[in-house]
Amino acid sequence: MFLGVSCAIFAQIFSSLISILQSGGVHANFPRMKNVDKIDRLILRALEDNADCANKLLAERVGLSPSACLRRVARLKEIGAIKKIVAVVDPDCYERKLSVVVSVKFERHGLQARQNFFDQLKRERAVVQCYMVTGEVGSIIILHVADMDEYTELTDRLFNEDPNISAFTTFMVMSKLL
C-alpha cells in the first residue's frame, strides 16, 4: 500500500479516537442510559480520571456524603456503568516498551467471524485496547510488546493465520502525546 494513503488512514483513525476520548469516551452515551443521573455522571467522570480516588474525596467532589457516594458507586457497578477498575501501567515498568497501533481489515464482517478474533485478542497479554470502528478498517488494536520479535510472533499468530483478516497495517508509536 502506498505510504501516503496508509498515513492518511491512520490520521483519520487517530483523529476519530482523539475525538471520542475528548468527548468523554464511551461515557458520552450515559445521558441516554436509564437510571444514570447528573451526579452519577460526575462520579463516572471523576473515577475515569482517577479510579484510585478515596471515597471521601470522591464524595466531596460530587457533593454527596461518603455513604451515599459509596452506594452510588456500588449501583453503577451493578448496572454495568462501571465495567471494571484498572490501573494504567507505564509499559517501561514491565519491559513492554514498544507501543503499536494496528488497523485490521476483515474479510467477513459478521458477528461470529469477528467474535472469534476478539476472543483470541482477549487472551493476548500484549493487547491493551481494541476498538471496532467504522470506515476503511474494521478494528484498531493497541499493543504493548517487548520488542519486534514479540510483535512478529504476534502478527503471525493473530493476523497472518486468520483467514478472516484481509489486511492489517502497523503503526509504531514514536511518542505519547496525551
Side-chain angles (χ1 to χ4, degrees), residues 109-116 118:
H109 294 276
L111 179 61
Q112 189 58 48
R114 287 190 323 256
Q115 193 60 50
N116 291 339
F118 294 138

Side-chain angles (χ1 to χ4, degrees), residues 124 126 143 145 149-159:
E124 292 291 339
L143 307 169
V145 294
D149 289 338
E150 181 183 359
Y151 177 71
T152 301
E153 290 171 14
L154 187 134
T155 59
D156 287 342
R157 195 170 52 254
L158 289 179
F159 309 129

Side-chain angles (χ1 to χ4, degrees), residues 65-129:
S65 70
S67 60
C69 186
L70 198 56
R71 282 192 302 272
R72 281 189 180 244
V73 170
R75 187 180 63 77
L76 289 167
K77 289 177 181 178
E78 201 173 283
I79 67 171
I82 297 174
K83 302 284 186 197
K84 64 181 178 178
I85 305 294
V86 298
V88 179
V89 179
D90 184 342
D92 289 343
C93 292
Y94 61 100
E95 298 180 357
R96 296 185 147 306
K97 297 179 183 200
L98 188 58
S99 296
V100 185
V101 177
V102 181
S103 66
V104 178
K105 290 185 180 183
F106 296 104
E107 191 69 38
R108 295 173 311 285
H109 294 276
L111 179 61
Q112 189 58 48
R114 287 190 323 256
Q115 193 60 50
N116 291 339
F117 177 68
F118 294 138
D119 288 344
Q120 189 175 0
L121 288 179
K122 289 176 188 176
R123 294 187 295 269
E124 292 291 339
R125 181 176 172 219
V127 176
V128 293
Q129 295 178 41

Side-chain angles (χ1 to χ4, degrees), residues 11 16 41 46 51-52 56 95 119 123-124 142-143 147 173:
S16 296
R41 286 190 297 276
D52 196 32
K56 184 177 177 183
E95 298 180 357
D119 288 344
R123 294 187 295 269
E124 292 291 339
I142 312 296
L143 307 169
D147 53 33
V173 175

Side-chain angles (χ1 to χ4, degrees), residues 19-35:
S19 296
I20 289 167
L21 293 172
Q22 288 175 337
S23 69
V26 294
H27 299 301
N29 293 328
F30 281 150
R32 290 186 230 145
M33 288 181 64
K34 293 181 182 179
N35 302 322

Side-chain angles (χ1 to χ4, degrees), residues 156-168:
D156 287 342
R157 195 170 52 254
L158 289 179
F159 309 129
N160 295 330
E161 294 175 5
D162 188 330
N164 194 39
I165 306 296
S166 62
F168 69 95

Side-chain angles (χ1 to χ4, degrees), residues 22-64:
Q22 288 175 337
S23 69
V26 294
H27 299 301
N29 293 328
F30 281 150
R32 290 186 230 145
M33 288 181 64
K34 293 181 182 179
N35 302 322
V36 177
D37 63 15
K38 181 180 176 181
I39 300 290
D40 291 333
R41 286 190 297 276
L42 289 173
I43 291 170
L44 292 168
R45 286 189 189 106
L47 289 175
E48 192 173 45
D49 183 50
N50 179 8
D52 196 32
C53 181
N55 183 60
K56 184 177 177 183
L57 180 60
L58 180 61
E60 289 173 10
R61 284 186 184 169
V62 299
L64 292 174

